[in-house]
Every structure is written in structure tokens, then in C-alpha cells.
Amino acid sequence: PNLAEFAGRIDPASRDVAGRRGVSEEDGHGTAVTATAAAARNDAQNVGIAFDATILSFRADAPGTCASEDGCNFYDGAIAQGTDAGGLAGAKVINLSLGGSQPGSTLMSAMQRAVNAGIVLVISAGNDGEDPLKGGNADPFALVPAQNFPGRVIIAGSIGADNGAGGTNLNTLSDFSNQAGQGQNWYLTALGYRVR
């Protein structure tokens, strides 16, 4: 919340829905994704797609899990609370840059309430692109909601790969990104490689 990229645009409804911490995160992922979506148009680093947007930030990672090598853990209850809080605060788009197994009934109900309110859900395709068993399809965390709420969920894959000369090839899916597979009708890509 203290970065110039987001100055004056973090909605006061923002909060930690999984604990009693602030909205600052530990690994930089949430900041990078938020910058891709909404960094200021200030000629510094990223310019967000919606550079004038108000940002609602709901921290949902389980306390203490982001410091581990395995990365952050997220549970359906906290994600559902964040989804509902976003809806109550007037969100137009809710981004869930998460992956994993299909959402349980609590989270699916929160997603249903969001899409019923006209909110678009953007959910990561997943980071198992190099896994031959998982990489050919979007994570169930994104695919199941896209199938249940067609036209209201965007599965977000990542484009960008090393071009062999120190730059980025923007004409290819990132190696780590799950492919569209059965979610092809709801799958879009955005730059997700070397994003800071």
C-alpha cells in the first residue's frame, strides 16, 4: 500500500481476511499481479491496464505459510470471505491469482454470489505447465468455476518466454503456465513472465 504505483488508490475496505496482518504480502506475487492490472500511469516501471482503478486488496493467505519454501497456502473459507468482501465493496473484477484443486462448496457459493452481482472473476490458469499430467489443462481451481459460470470467469494464462538474447518473446505461452485445454472458451493470456 505504500508504493507510489498504488498511491491514493487502495480502498479503505481492504484488509486481511485470514488473520490480523495488514494487506502487504510477503513474496511479491500479489504486488506484481496488482501492478499488471492497476499500476499508475506515472512513467515508472509498469503501467497497469486499469491505471486509474481503485484497488481492493483482501489478503487471504494462511498466516505464516508464505515464509516457507513451498509458498503460501490458501483455504476456501478465507478466499470466500475476500470474494464476498470485494462484492460488498463494489468490485467490478475480482482477481484470484491462485491455483490448485477445485473450489469447495463454500467458495463456489461466494463465486456464485459474485457473478450474480455482475462481477467478472479472473482466475490463474495455474503454474503446472511443465507437468505432463497437469499442464495441458487449466487448474481445476479455475476450470470448474469457468465451466459453472460461463462468460463470467476468465482463465488467465501467462505469455512470455526467454527469447535467447536476454529479452522476452511475447509470442509464446510461458513454460510454467497451464494451457487452456478444456477451458479454451474462457482462456486469455497476459504477460506473466519476468513481471516485477
Side-chain angles (χ1 to χ4, degrees):
N2 297 324
L3 291 177
E5 296 291 347
F6 311 131
R9 294 187 300 118
I10 306 284
D11 191 284
S14 300
R15 66 182 184 280
D16 181 355
V17 295
R20 293 189 174 3
R21 308 156 295 177
V23 295
S24 293
E25 39 92 26
E26 297 174 35
D27 68 356
H29 184 261
T31 300
V33 171
T34 303
T36 299
R41 186 175 187 178
N42 59 6
D43 296 325
Q45 297 193 17
N46 290 14
V47 175
I49 294 165
F51 51 81
D52 284 333
T54 299
I55 300 163
L56 289 158
S57 178
F58 298 103
R59 186 172 179 180
D61 56 295
T65 63
C66 290
S68 74
E69 282 186 27
D70 295 332
C72 304
N73 290 333
F74 295 86
Y75 298 102
D76 279 9
I79 302 168
Q81 284 182 9
T83 301
D84 284 334
L88 290 172
K92 304 286 187 250
V93 176
I94 294 177
N95 180 70
L96 298 170
S97 191
L98 312 167
S101 58
Q102 79 178 52
S105 61
T106 298
L107 181 51
M108 286 296 287
S109 293
M111 290 176 170
Q112 179 74 68
R113 289 188 290 276
V115 299
N116 286 350
I119 297 169
V120 173
L121 301 176
V122 179
I123 307 174
S124 169
N127 292 334
D128 295 316
E130 296 178 282
D131 183 329
L133 299 177
K134 297 179 181 178
N137 234 341
D139 268 349
F141 189 80
L143 183 58
V144 170
Q147 291 170 329
N148 279 272
F149 313 120
R152 303 304 305 170
V153 175
I154 296 170
I155 301 171
S158 172
I159 57 167
D162 189 332
N163 70 1
T168 302
N169 176 357
L170 297 177
N171 296 316
T172 187
L173 196 67
S174 300
D175 291 344
F176 59 82
S177 183
N178 286 47
Q179 297 174 24
Q182 296 173 5
Q184 66 184 356
N185 292 336
W186 311 289
Y187 190 95
L188 293 175
T189 59
L191 179 61
Y193 178 75
R194 292 184 177 163
V195 175
R196 294 282 178 245

